[in-house]
Amino acid sequence: MTALRTGVVGVGHLGRFHAQKYARISQLQGVYDANAERARSVAQELGCRAYDDLQELLTTVDAISIVTPTLHHHAVARAAIALGVHCLVEKPFTFTLAEADDLLSQAIANGVVLAVGQIERAQVVMQHLREQGFPAPRYIEAERLAPFKPRSLDVDVIMDLMIHDLDLVLMLGASPLQEVRAVGVAAVTDQADMANAWVTLANGSVANLAASRVVREAVRRMRIFWPDRYASVDFMQNRLTFYRRGSGQVPGIPGVQEEVVDLQPSDALEAEISAFLAAVAGQGRVLCSGEEGRAALAAALAVRQSVGAFLSESNYPHSSGA
Ligand code: NAD
């Protein structure tokens, strides 16, 4: 248990879980939500104070999570950073790159830790892959498909779901984004609900990413290829399997060896928040820094721009001779 005093701003669906973790591993001072009734109910559940005034909460804490809709991340984070409060900002980091840049410079000026909630980095499969110290992958394929939910509809599927895989591609490739080509369609909302992106990094790594928020069955998978092996990741089952050329025998693929990695299940949100608090205490680094959160946002905005070009009227296929 750390002695750090913490708080959560925005305790809707995800913010309530943040508050539960802080209550377990730190001194949760209180929560603030634009919906006072919601703040009271979460505070009552966790035995902390519901603040009616954001500034008052900010003056009583060392560190907070910001779990409001993305549109409000910048304003809340700016107010917190100005008071020297360390911030874990949910993903997407901010709405615009200008807002992200502003927070990055304010965080440096005020000496605070700024982390971004790109939570897939905290999954045990990703932590294991990082620890192996593999070189940049040659190619990555990812599918992130989810049934429709009436949440996060203020953003498109790229900011909602694909940004997770864009962040992992940048993390595993450890190289800046070079080029993006993407397509997408609006199926239920008036923004892209499905998208497919072809992403190239400066070091030559390539990724093909599919995301949808309008399928019947959830899928969260990634396949990562190096010249001598490939890794199959199932985020939902917490399963990591390596395939290599070798003496083994995978049914139907002779000469290929399979290795299922035995991983203990762990709580990704608690791991993310623990790393943040450790960094605040000067005992480690955050799982996703402000700069890394900005890079994921920039990649998502590039995908969105490419999807926008695809969706624009001038690109709509016309039947010849009609
Ligand atoms: P939500 O709508 O359930 O909750 C948002 C809460 O913020 C609401 O209770 C609302 O009253 C409150 N709020 C709105 N404006 C506020 C303000 N200015 N100050 C304080 N409170 C305010 O949304 P959610 O699904 O919990 O998502 C919240 C954030 O978390 C979004 O940025 C979203 O992208 C992110 N998110 C991340 C993941 C992930 O996988 N890391 C998953 C879901 C959501």
Side-chain angles (χ1 to χ4, degrees):
M1 168 92 69
T2 154
L4 286 169
R5 299 162 309 153
T6 57
V8 178
V9 179
V11 279
H13 175 76
L14 185 58
R16 173 171 164 260
F17 294 120
H18 275 252
Q20 287 174 349
K21 308 302 171 196
Y22 282 113
R24 249 176 57 74
I25 61 176
S26 71
Q27 217 178 299
L28 178 66
Q29 295 291 112
V31 297
Y32 170 79
D33 195 291
N35 176 342
E37 191 45 50
R38 176 71 185 176
R40 264 194 293 280
S41 123
V42 173
Q44 193 173 19
E45 173 195 340
L46 298 173
C48 67
R49 181 172 159 196
Y51 283 79
D52 293 324
D53 180 45
L54 174 62
Q55 291 294 324
E56 199 187 341
L57 170 66
L58 295 179
T59 53
T60 57
V61 291
D62 303 303
I64 54 163
S65 274
I66 298 170
V67 202
T68 64
T70 308
L71 198 57
H72 304 289
H73 287 182
H74 175 257
V76 176
R78 205 170 204 285
I81 292 169
L83 291 169
V85 175
H86 306 280
C87 295
L88 167 57
V89 185
E90 256 308 331
K91 59 74 34 191
F93 182 19
T94 50
F95 212 65
T96 67
L97 290 177
E99 289 175 349
D101 289 336
D102 179 54
L103 294 184
L104 288 172
S105 61
Q106 291 298 315
I108 291 169
N110 288 278
V112 306
V113 173
L114 189 52
V116 179
Q118 294 290 164
I119 197 163
E120 296 299 66
R121 288 177 178 234
Q123 300 288 359
V124 69
V125 284
M126 276 299 141
Q127 301 250 39
H128 179 84
L129 273 177
R130 275 184 110 172
E131 284 159 15
Q132 304 310 302
F134 291 136
R138 188 77 194 90
Y139 176 61
I140 296 177
E141 239 175 33
E143 292 164 290
R144 190 168 293 266
L145 317 176
F148 184 75
K149 291 191 199 81
R151 283 202 309 271
S152 296
L153 299 182
D154 54 328
V155 293
D156 57 25
V157 73
I158 304 153
M159 292 295 167
D160 186 8
L161 300 180
M162 190 183 275
I163 193 168
H164 287 295
D165 293 317
L166 289 164
D167 174 57
L168 294 180
V169 166
L170 291 168
M171 180 192 87
L172 293 165
S175 176
L177 185 75
Q178 178 162 292
E179 195 193 354
V180 166
R181 292 178 63 193
V183 294
V185 286
V188 174
T189 71
D190 55 6
Q191 307 194 62
D193 297 310
M194 296 184 244
N196 196 296
W198 179 261
V199 174
T200 311
L201 304 188
N203 63 3
S205 280
V206 171
N208 187 1
L209 312 179
S212 169
R213 56 183 178 185
V214 287
V215 297
R216 287 217 179 265
E217 273 185 42
V219 173
R220 283 193 277 147
R221 283 200 204 112
M222 183 172 265
R223 286 172 286 277
I224 308 163
F225 296 81
W226 294 270
D228 62 336
R229 79 192 77 194
Y230 102 80
S232 171
V233 177
D234 185 332
F235 291 101
M236 296 183 65
Q237 305 293 332
N238 243 329
R239 196 181 301 143
L240 172 63
T241 312
F242 284 106
Y243 297 89
R244 288 186 190 85
R245 288 183 198 278
S247 54
Q249 176 95 4
V250 175
I253 320 178
V256 171
Q257 203 180 326
E258 181 184 62
E259 181 204 341
V260 180
V261 181
D262 188 20
L263 296 168
Q264 294 307 309
S266 81
D267 182 328
L269 184 57
E270 190 165 313
E272 176 182 88
I273 291 173
S274 297
F276 168 59
L277 293 180
V280 168
Q283 290 161 2
R285 80 175 290 273
V286 298
L287 293 184
C288 180
S289 67
E291 287 80 4
E292 291 164 327
R294 187 212 187 267
L297 175 67
L301 289 171
V303 172
R304 177 188 276 175
Q305 191 175 19
S306 186
V307 167
F310 172 79
L311 283 174
S312 76
E313 191 116 20
S314 59
N315 275 346
Y316 198 81
H318 298 287
S319 53
S320 56

